[in-house]
Amino acid sequence: MENLDLKYIIETIGCQMNENESFDLAETLSHSGILQAKTLQEANIVILNTCSVRAQAEQKAFSFLGRAERIKKENSSVKIIVIGCMAQRIPDKIKKRFKNIDFIAGTKEANLAEKILKLLPFSEQPKSLPKENLCCKLNFGKIVRHITIMKGCNNYCSYCVVPFVRGQEISFDYKKIMNDCVSMVENGTKEIILLGQNVNSYKYGEIDFSKLISKIAKIESLTRIRFMTNHPKDLNDDLIEIMSKESKVCRHIHLPMQSASDKILEQMNRKYTFKHYLNLIKNLRTAMPDISITTDVIVGFPGESQKNFEETLNAIKDIKFDGLYVFRYSQRPNTKAAQIPDDVSLEEKKHRHSVILKESNEISAKIAAAMVNTKQEVLGEKFENGILSARTRSCRKVFITTDKTYLGKQFYAFIKSAKINSLFGEIR
Ligand code: SAH
Ligand code: SF4
Ligand code: F3S
């Protein structure tokens, strides 16, 4: 069945959890015969998947909705649909500001895809939507696929809105996860990335995160496993052991540090000290000297003095992360930290942000440069315009001029040159 007159577009703001949910929704829509629009102008179903983590993310949603409403003014048959964390947090505020939204649903809405389909002017409603295995019902030919293994978060880091918009942490049934992984692999997936706000606290009956990984690793035609995000208070020796023993698990870990000042870490309710964090880095590197470690840092948290900031900067210089995301603290309503005055000026936050970014870019560029003239094991992920886009086990992108046969294959590439975020290689 095709609905040639219907075309959807999904704009996604936020984390990989949102990306993955948008992907699932796109599959359901495509499965119902709706085509994917290439531009906003071409679409008559406009879906916005929102994020609330920083004020900036919410601003972005507001300006997108402004554009969508202008399109709807010209063509009233356009449907505007808003989903995700911001739709959970402030639905009334969004509806008040944008009166032409057709449907808004938060993260707790059940059967979201079906409700969206019901809204659409099909000549005939699609009948047989498979409810099981939503993520696997179509083969989009993706070599790398994400799977959400848990939802919500119980950690209540004092700055963070996620526990409020995503609710209590729940680990999904491991048998369901296994089934999904197996069908993905049967459909050609070579790399699976496990997602959760804190994958280290995954627990379903007897199955904890390390056990889950070792079970997934047994799927024969699967080449690689990655996961994110980790929490320093929960990362344990079992995980380090399985990472170092199991060759399918990529030796890359995203371990958000947030700050290196114990005073700030305590105020953030992170439940670890900097010493504990450093110890984890030491243990990871002792077990796997080649491991790549990336992190998140927040600058300008309330009460962060120049000295506290320098502690973080020095830690970054010492640890030498492969990559790093740095964020300016953004006060979020209802969080614990919102009760403390947001006392670092915007100018100072911007300054600290740029100092850290400059430092970390230099480190990351050096690590990339050291890979030139070495052979790296890569997996071919995408093939476009005669160029294969592949990724090293440490999660760096490599562009290789070659043919399509390397798509989905893991092989050694010779690295010829490097930029901070991408490497250029050839097959020798
Ligand atoms: N659960 C994950 C990811 C949370 S959001 C984790 O704990 O790591 C991703 C990153 O956004 C966080 O690691 C943090 O660095 C940043 N972040 C979250 N809330 C923020 C806020 N209010 N202001 C600035 N950065 C924030
Ligand atoms: Fe937010 Fe902390 Fe939970 Fe991460 S662990 S989602 S930063 S509350
Ligand atoms: Fe993700 Fe943003 Fe929601 S970071 S969980 S989309 S608030």
Side-chain angles (χ1 to χ4, degrees):
M1 179 182 39
E2 288 233 332
N3 287 280
L4 289 174
D5 45 340
L6 292 181
K7 279 191 180 174
Y8 73 89
I9 196 158
I10 308 184
E11 171 79 7
T12 308
I13 304 170
C15 63
Q16 283 181 319
M17 213 81 81
N18 263 16
E19 292 282 352
N20 200 34
E21 282 160 10
S22 292
F23 184 81
D24 281 355
L25 188 57
E27 273 196 333
T28 308
L29 295 177
S30 298
H31 185 80
S32 311
I34 308 174
L35 300 175
Q36 195 164 8
K38 288 194 183 71
T39 61
L40 188 57
Q41 282 68 22
E42 194 185 291
N44 43 21
I45 304 159
V46 176
I47 303 173
L48 175 65
N49 195 355
T50 56
C51 169
S52 286
V53 79
R54 283 170 289 275
Q56 235 176 4
E58 295 198 338
Q59 279 312 323
K60 216 165 144 187
F62 283 136
S63 67
F64 180 86
L65 286 174
R67 263 181 287 150
E69 276 206 335
R70 281 196 289 282
I71 287 173
K72 185 161 176 149
K73 260 196 196 118
E74 278 160 33
N75 174 4
S76 61
S77 72
V78 170
K79 298 253 181 258
I80 304 178
I81 296 164
V82 185
I83 60 172
C85 295
M86 197 177 160
Q88 179 68 38
R89 194 177 87 75
I90 42 166
D92 296 335
K93 199 169 159 187
I94 299 173
K95 279 189 279 188
K96 210 171 148 198
R97 194 156 154 188
F98 298 93
K99 303 233 162 26
N100 294 314
I101 290 172
D102 295 274
F103 182 62
I104 181 159
T107 54
K108 290 173 188 159
E109 191 85 21
N111 307 323
L112 182 64
E114 279 160 54
K115 285 179 187 159
I116 291 178
L117 283 171
K118 282 223 177 81
L119 213 75
L120 305 178
F122 285 112
S123 40
E124 187 192 349
Q125 279 286 329
K127 287 175 198 82
S128 60
L129 263 189
K131 289 198 183 69
E132 295 300 318
N133 256 352
L134 266 186
C135 52
C136 304
K137 61 193 175 302
L138 265 191
N139 178 14
F140 267 36
K142 275 205 108 183
I143 307 291
V144 181
R145 296 205 53 166
H146 296 80
I147 178 162
T148 305
I149 61 165
M150 59 209 295
K151 64 175 179 185
C153 181
N154 292 345
N155 290 315
Y156 290 94
C157 300
S158 67
Y159 50 80
C160 184
V161 79
V162 171
F164 301 95
V165 290
R166 290 275 173 168
Q168 286 283 299
E169 179 186 292
I170 297 171
S171 295
F172 294 142
D173 185 341
Y174 109 90
K175 287 187 236 77
K176 165 91 171 72
I177 297 173
M178 284 305 291
N179 284 341
D180 282 1
C181 290
V182 168
S183 13
M184 284 180 189
V185 174
E186 279 170 359
N187 282 311
T189 292
K190 295 293 174 193
E191 173 173 324
I192 288 177
I193 306 180
L194 307 172
L195 294 180
Q197 295 296 353
N198 176 7
V199 289
N200 310 121
S201 66
Y202 177 86
K203 189 109 173 81
Y204 192 86
E206 288 298 294
I207 309 292
D208 64 8
F209 187 55
S210 309
K211 289 205 181 96
L212 180 69
I213 289 193
S214 37
K215 290 197 184 280
I216 295 174
K218 294 207 171 69
I219 303 174
E220 215 167 286
S221 315
L222 181 67
T223 313
R224 286 180 172 184
I225 303 170
R226 291 186 200 278
F227 50 86
M228 70 186 311
T229 292
N230 299 273
H231 197 305
K233 80 178 165 60
D234 294 317
L235 189 143
N236 61 21
D237 291 344
D238 284 355
L239 182 62
I240 299 181
E241 194 184 322
I242 184 105
M243 282 185 84
S244 53
K245 270 206 215 137
E246 177 51 70
S247 63
K248 287 186 186 180
V249 181
C250 289
R251 292 182 170 183
H252 165 235
I253 197 153
H254 186 68
L255 191 61
M257 174 174 85
Q258 312 299 4
S259 169
S261 148
D262 283 342
K263 180 189 98 184
I264 298 295
L265 285 172
E266 197 181 331
Q267 290 278 308
M268 286 178 164
N269 193 30
R270 289 289 286 177
K271 302 191 182 86
Y272 56 84
T273 58
F274 178 58
K275 198 170 154 209
H276 174 79
Y277 187 88
L278 262 190
N279 206 33
L280 286 177
I281 301 280
K282 197 185 91 204
N283 293 347
L284 284 161
R285 285 182 168 158
T286 307
M288 297 164 276
D290 57 344
I291 194 170
S292 139
I293 303 173
T294 54
T295 201
D296 291 346
V297 165
I298 297 177
V299 292
F301 185 82
E304 186 189 66
S305 65
Q306 177 64 24
K307 183 177 151 278
N308 301 147
F309 166 69
E310 278 165 17
E311 287 173 77
T312 303
L313 181 63
N314 289 334
I316 289 166
K317 288 180 185 168
D318 290 346
I319 296 171
K320 298 191 173 31
F321 294 102
D322 243 75
L324 169 159
Y325 293 102
V326 52
F327 305 103
R328 297 193 305 243
Y329 171 70
S330 168
Q331 191 179 69
R332 306 315 291 137
N334 300 325
T335 57
K336 193 88 192 289
Q339 296 168 11
I340 328 171
D342 186 4
D343 60 356
V344 180
S345 70
L346 180 60
E347 199 176 285
E348 186 57 31
K349 280 179 189 159
K350 283 186 177 164
H351 175 69
R352 291 179 188 178
H353 182 271
S354 72
V355 171
I356 287 194
L357 200 61
K358 184 168 174 282
E359 184 64 41
S360 72
N361 279 347
E362 276 169 20
I363 295 167
S364 194
K366 267 188 202 152
I367 296 174
M371 292 169 107
V372 174
N373 293 331
T374 67
K375 279 192 167 184
Q376 296 290 328
E377 198 171 17
V378 301
L379 175 72
E381 293 182 349
K382 233 193 248 166
F383 187 79
E384 263 169 356
N385 308 326
I387 295 188
L388 182 79
S389 166
R391 208 175 278 273
T392 64
R393 296 183 70 89
S394 61
C395 213
R396 284 183 188 259
K397 258 206 168 129
V398 189
F399 296 103
I400 304 162
T401 312
T402 173
D403 58 74
K404 219 177 162 169
T405 51
Y406 287 93
L407 194 59
K409 300 258 163 34
Q410 184 165 251
F411 60 95
Y412 280 91
F414 184 81
I415 308 300
K416 287 197 318 189
S417 63
K419 283 191 193 164
I420 297 183
N421 294 318
S422 40
L423 303 167
F424 302 87
E426 61 183 28
I427 298 165
R428 284 191 181 171

